[in-house]
Amino acid sequence: MHKLTLKQCSELLQQKKTSAVELAQDYLTAIQRDNPALNAYIDTNPDLTLAEARAADERLAKGSGSLLTGVPLAYKDNFCQQGWRASCSSKMLDNFISPYTATVVQNLMNEGMVTLGHTNLDEFAMGSTTESSYYGATRNPWQPEHVSGGSSGGSAAAVAARLAPAALGSDTGGSIRQPASHCGVTGIKPTYGTVSRFGVVAYASSFDQAGPMAQTAEDCALLLNVMAGFDPKDSTSLERDKEDYSRDLAKPLQGMKIGLPREYFGDGLDEEVRRRVQAAIELLRAQGVDFIDIELPHTELCIPAYYVLASAEASTNLSRFDGVRYGHRAADFDGLEEMYAKSRGEAFGEEVKRRIMIGTYVLSHGYYDAYYVKAQKLRRLLVNDFQAAFTRCDAILAPVAPTAAPLAGSIGDDPVKMYLSDIFTLSLNLAGLPGLSAPAGLTANGLPVGVQLIGNHFAEAKILNVAHQMQLHSDWHLKAPSI
Ligand code: GLN
């Protein structure tokens, strides 16, 4: 049973062919068996899971459930959920049990979804490999010597290995789309402001968005329907009418115009990835999609702009972890200053310290104009590029990452190499646009490759439509690793 899609789980529950408890048990057994080799989950709590499942069964018995009642789900460990640890895979929060629940998690719990556990990530969601976790790296379920991608590598690996029908991730610069691509699952980052950030531990607040990861685009739409919505507790949450993200799934693609940005298909793109993306293009062309060449001329500036701005925001957001308000406190110190320095020095990993230092530097009085303000200007240029492109096409198709999942240890220790691998995902976060990654088949070595679909603001239903049609006409999303 634990290989089912979210929709199939829901159908079995509705038809009373299984119970929430039985389904949860099935997943917990699979997790116990397969997780030690993968390290996708870093926290499970069968007592809590089964209590939620029993409550869901009661609702289903009374007929007061919804489509998602009793369906199990995993959360990246930077989502706060009362009674569960929210470690952000950092020593800093190793013993932090959240006293409250993030709005997006609450929305899903209100439907009666059952928490399977919390998944691994790069420390504080900073990274592209899930190797900087305090709890050790997550392995790629397709080939364990490769990384799962990051920073939502645990969620992607859990869905790929069928240890959860779906999982939540967060995407600040690609952390849903890139691990989805590397693990062969579907994941969407919605338009900035669509999903509440309240209770999702902040990395870079003007970029962070939560989103679903699942086997299919259809499942992602079902989750997004519940996740999205105005939240007065998040000052950047948008007040908009509720949307049905599934509404266009069945629409034929005939006549749709999709742009191919020249800058995303240049020299740095691995040939295997290019082949898979091309296969997706051909499949969509056969459905009647019209492809046009477009330009996003400032693309290469996304890396410096993002790493200046995201680090600046991270340095401010992470100042709360000082051993007083939150987090690890050093055992011995001499005075307040030393307590701060030792606590932070002991509990943050290297990459997090690097971001805090970069961020503090670019925000400092003498360098603010030269770096921070300049990067904000680049951000505007990138937004303008997309707005010009969307006057010519309905959506944009591109690779997600320049390569398939790298070998463990090959880029995680080399920050510049790692930052460069984000080239195709960062621009969307700078511009607040929605983007998804959907499986597009395997490389010759058997590693999955995703294709990225980018929409204009609030065009989630459109890119989900394209992905769903792709999934109706291929079996790429059904392929699972044999573990
Ligand atoms: N790899 C990017 C970074 O390290 C993006 C991470 C993310 O989206 N959380 O910042």
Side-chain angles (χ1 to χ4, degrees):
M1 225 159 32
H2 72 94
K3 306 239 152 117
L4 304 173
T5 65
L6 177 141
K7 193 170 169 226
Q8 289 166 337
C9 289
S10 163
E11 282 165 2
L12 288 187
L13 287 162
Q14 301 295 319
Q15 296 159 3
K16 308 232 181 304
K17 290 193 179 144
T18 187
S19 68
V21 167
E22 211 180 346
L23 204 50
Q25 279 289 12
D26 219 43
Y27 277 101
L28 289 174
T29 308
I31 292 167
Q32 208 175 15
R33 188 188 59 226
D34 297 337
N35 192 58
L38 291 175
N39 201 25
Y41 283 89
I42 51 171
D43 193 17
T44 51
N45 186 332
D47 289 343
L48 286 180
T49 301
L50 293 171
E52 288 184 27
R54 278 192 293 272
D57 278 333
E58 278 169 32
R59 278 177 71 172
L60 288 165
K62 275 194 277 180
S64 62
S66 74
L67 275 184
L68 296 180
T69 308
V71 178
L73 182 70
Y75 296 102
K76 184 177 180 177
D77 205 31
N78 58 351
F79 286 84
C80 288
Q81 185 176 22
Q82 193 175 11
W84 289 81
R85 188 176 67 179
S87 72
C88 295
S89 289
S90 178
K91 179 175 180 183
M92 186 55 98
L93 292 174
D94 183 39
N95 56 12
F96 174 68
I97 306 293
S98 180
Y100 73 106
T101 298
T103 301
V104 53
V105 175
Q106 193 61 55
N107 290 348
L108 295 159
M109 291 184 76
N110 289 346
E111 296 292 308
M113 293 199 81
V114 175
T115 312
L116 286 174
H118 285 206
T119 57
N120 204 5
L121 63 149
D122 280 298
E123 186 180 5
F124 282 102
M126 297 171 189
S128 313
T129 61
T130 311
E131 291 175 292
S132 68
S133 165
Y134 177 56
Y135 306 107
T138 294
R139 297 178 175 278
N140 192 306
W142 293 85
Q143 289 182 25
E145 62 283 11
H146 289 258
V147 301
S148 57
S151 63
S152 315
S155 288
V159 175
R162 307 301 188 240
L163 300 183
L168 292 206
S170 65
D171 192 312
T172 304
S175 281
I176 289 176
R177 292 159 285 153
Q178 187 257 35
S181 174
H182 287 350
C183 290
V185 305
T186 308
I188 180 166
K189 173 205 105 68
T191 306
Y192 183 78
T194 298
V195 171
S196 169
R197 290 184 295 107
F198 178 78
V200 187
V201 179
Y203 160 13
S205 309
S206 77
F207 299 81
D208 300 343
Q209 269 294 281
M213 305 168 87
Q215 289 176 43
T216 68
E218 191 178 21
D219 286 353
C220 287
L222 289 173
L223 287 170
L224 200 52
N225 280 345
V226 175
M227 294 170 66
F230 174 63
D231 179 13
K233 293 183 190 142
D234 171 359
S235 61
T236 57
S237 173
L238 293 164
E239 284 191 69
R240 301 180 72 245
D241 290 341
K242 265 274 187 205
E243 266 193 63
D244 175 10
Y245 294 100
S246 312
R247 67 180 185 275
D248 290 337
L249 291 177
K251 258 196 183 171
L253 299 180
Q254 189 67 43
M256 186 181 280
K257 206 177 259 183
I258 296 188
L260 300 173
R262 191 166 54 88
E263 297 75 7
Y264 284 58
F265 291 88
D267 285 345
L269 186 62
D270 179 82
E271 279 314 309
E272 288 274 353
V273 174
R274 190 189 302 274
R275 253 197 291 282
R276 298 320 314 156
V277 174
Q278 195 56 42
I281 294 173
E282 294 317 325
L283 186 134
L284 291 170
R285 213 194 297 278
Q287 304 307 309
V289 171
D290 225 357
F291 284 95
I292 61 166
D293 290 326
I294 57 163
E295 283 174 8
L296 296 168
H298 297 97
T299 296
E300 64 175 21
L301 299 178
C302 73
I303 296 176
Y306 171 86
Y307 277 98
V308 166
L309 296 173
S311 302
E313 294 186 24
S315 73
T316 3
N317 275 326
L318 270 59
S319 67
R320 75 192 65 174
F321 303 107
D322 57 5
V324 179
R325 289 171 294 177
Y326 289 97
H328 165 86
R329 184 184 292 187
D332 353 276
F333 46 85
D334 187 10
L336 187 63
E337 287 276 325
E338 193 178 302
M339 191 275 284
Y340 286 149
K342 271 190 148 179
S343 301
R344 287 165 68 84
E346 287 171 8
F348 283 140
E350 246 180 70
E351 185 59 30
V352 172
K353 286 181 186 158
R354 186 177 297 121
R355 306 282 176 110
I356 293 174
M357 285 202 296
I358 296 171
T360 309
Y361 180 82
V362 300
L363 287 175
S364 61
H365 183 66
Y367 297 101
Y368 181 82
D369 286 326
Y371 295 104
Y372 184 77
V373 173
K374 185 77 160 269
Q376 290 286 20
K377 291 180 179 167
L378 300 185
R379 186 173 196 172
R380 170 52 57 188
L381 294 177
L382 286 152
V383 172
N384 293 349
D385 276 3
F386 279 109
Q387 290 319 314
F390 283 121
T391 62
R392 301 186 51 219
C393 57
D394 302 303
I396 294 171
L397 185 149
V400 180
T403 65
L407 279 169
S410 66
I411 67 165
D413 296 338
D414 183 339
V416 174
K417 233 187 193 170
M418 187 173 75
Y419 301 166
L420 289 173
S421 75
D422 293 337
I423 176 117
F424 302 140
T425 50
L426 301 175
S427 299
L428 273 70
N429 301 73
L430 283 153
L433 296 168
L436 68 70
S437 170
L442 306 178
T443 63
N445 295 332
L447 282 170
V449 174
V451 60
Q452 185 170 210
L453 293 160
I454 305 166
N456 206 345
H457 294 121
F458 311 118
E460 284 82 358
K462 192 171 288 181
I463 53 176
L464 285 163
N465 169 216
V466 179
H468 180 65
Q469 291 301 317
M470 208 165 94
Q471 296 181 344
L472 284 180
H473 294 97
S474 72
D475 63 354
W476 295 326
H477 61 296
L478 299 176
K479 295 223 158 36
S482 48
I483 49 164

